[in-house]
Amino acid sequence: MSNNLFSVFKSRQNRKVALVLSGGAARGLSHLGVVKVLKEEGYKIDFIIGTSIGSLIGGVLAADLDIQRCIEISRGFTWKDFIDLTYKGLGLFPGKKLRQTIDEIIGDIKFSDLKIPLIVTATDLELGELVLIRSGSVAEAVRASCAIPGIFSPLEINGQLLFDGGVLENLPVNIAKQEGADTTVAVDVGYSFKKKRPQNIIEVIYKAFLLKGDALTEFHREQADILISPELPDVDQMDFNKAGECIQWGEEAARSAIPQLNKHLIRV
């Protein structure tokens, strides 16, 4: 290896790489396709930041779980795997089914068990501040980060009432930089807006949430060093039955990004 090539390799080796996975409900299942490619290619990832479903898939990679097993589980999903049919508490749904589904994917693991450090974002309902969770139960943190306001009940962790991290940071690239990342690989699954009148209170709440989130995310997309944005035509946030298509599109987007990834990342 020439001195110049060695210097380039050494520079990349010393750079801290963060993988940032956005929220997006069912659309976020495409993250599984992305992490499948990243794992197959052996890229060095120093830490992961995930929001909402991005935190769930981030946990899969961070814990070095069997990706294919997780893909097979997700292929059987419907919206009923996430939504309880009984009202309770500070949201339309208590979130028990949501937690059961999270447990099925990642099991009972602690942050201290992870192979790659993971940060899960959530929002403090009382203080209106972003909270970075990096200790305790991973499943509990993911459940809090997935609690869409008004739809799922928030979750209390260490005295803080927490809900969806996407309220403040759906693609927390800036948080990755604050945490010391030299290179940020951001995966944004975007939003799907159906041009029709909402038919019920759930659609009203969720569409308002999406409209706000879309405006905030555009800035963070521009801050990423590498942006992977899967094409997800006609996939709504509740289309969990389209997991197979989402995963495939995520994999295709990641493979298209390999030339760019090779310029910034090293393999281990």
Side-chain angles (χ1 to χ4, degrees):
M1 182 182 293
S2 69
N3 288 336
N4 285 341
L5 286 176
F6 180 79
S7 296
V8 170
F9 175 79
K10 195 68 176 176
S11 175
R12 289 186 194 171
Q13 192 178 42
N14 292 333
R15 292 179 68 81
K16 196 172 184 180
V17 178
L19 176 65
V20 182
L21 302 177
S22 77
R27 294 169 65 87
L29 292 173
S30 60
H31 289 317
L32 273 172
V34 175
V35 301
K36 176 176 181 286
V37 172
L38 296 178
K39 192 171 181 180
E40 287 175 351
E41 294 294 322
Y43 290 117
K44 173 178 171 283
I45 303 294
D46 293 289
F47 68 98
I48 303 165
I49 298 184
T51 297
S52 195
I53 194 167
S55 68
L56 173 61
I57 310 306
V60 170
L61 181 60
D64 195 26
L65 300 179
D66 185 335
I67 297 289
Q68 195 56 45
R69 171 188 169 274
C70 296
I71 287 174
E72 291 307 315
I73 292 173
S74 69
R75 288 183 189 277
F77 283 160
T78 70
W79 63 269
K80 293 180 181 179
D81 291 293
F82 296 86
I83 301 231
D84 312 78
L85 299 179
T86 305
Y87 167 82
K88 181 182 178 182
L90 299 178
L92 292 175
F93 308 106
K96 290 183 179 179
K97 292 285 289 291
L98 173 62
R99 176 59 190 268
Q100 289 171 3
T101 300
I102 292 168
D103 286 341
E104 184 179 9
I105 292 288
I106 59 176
D108 182 22
I109 55 174
K110 306 294 183 185
F111 280 87
S112 57
D113 298 325
L114 299 176
K115 304 294 193 299
I116 302 173
L118 171 69
I119 299 172
V120 174
T121 70
T123 302
D124 187 311
L125 183 57
E126 295 178 275
L127 300 179
E129 297 176 351
L130 193 70
V131 175
L132 305 182
I133 309 174
R134 54 183 113 209
S135 63
S137 165
V138 176
E140 187 173 65
V142 171
R143 160 64 179 86
S145 187
C146 289
I148 301 166
I151 295 181
F152 292 110
S153 294
L155 188 68
E156 185 170 338
I157 300 178
N158 296 328
Q160 294 177 295
L161 196 59
L162 305 177
F163 67 123
D164 201 327
V167 170
L168 297 177
E169 301 276 355
N170 199 53
L171 187 69
V173 173
N174 61 322
I175 301 300
K177 292 182 181 293
Q178 291 172 18
E179 290 291 316
D182 299 299
T183 301
T184 53
V185 180
V187 186
D188 180 32
V189 301
Y191 299 88
S192 174
F193 298 102
K194 291 184 177 180
K195 295 182 179 180
K196 68 172 187 177
R197 288 192 177 189
Q199 301 299 306
N200 53 59
I201 188 171
I202 296 176
E203 291 186 5
V204 170
I205 293 171
Y206 200 53
K207 190 160 189 178
F209 178 70
L210 297 179
L211 289 169
K212 177 196 68 63
D214 188 48
L216 289 173
T217 299
E218 185 56 38
F219 171 76
H220 296 128
R221 287 169 60 94
E222 295 173 356
Q223 304 306 304
D225 296 299
I226 301 171
L227 177 66
I228 300 174
S229 187
E231 293 289 335
L232 298 166
D234 301 319
V235 178
D236 185 73
Q237 281 73 209
M238 292 304 293
D239 286 339
F240 289 98
N241 59 307
K242 296 182 179 179
E245 296 98 311
C246 290
I247 293 164
Q248 181 62 38
W249 285 317
E251 186 172 346
E252 290 175 1
R255 294 202 184 282
S256 296
I258 284 177
Q260 192 178 9
L261 291 166
N262 286 343
K263 291 179 181 179
H264 293 271
L265 278 58
I266 65 169
R267 290 177 170 85
V268 293

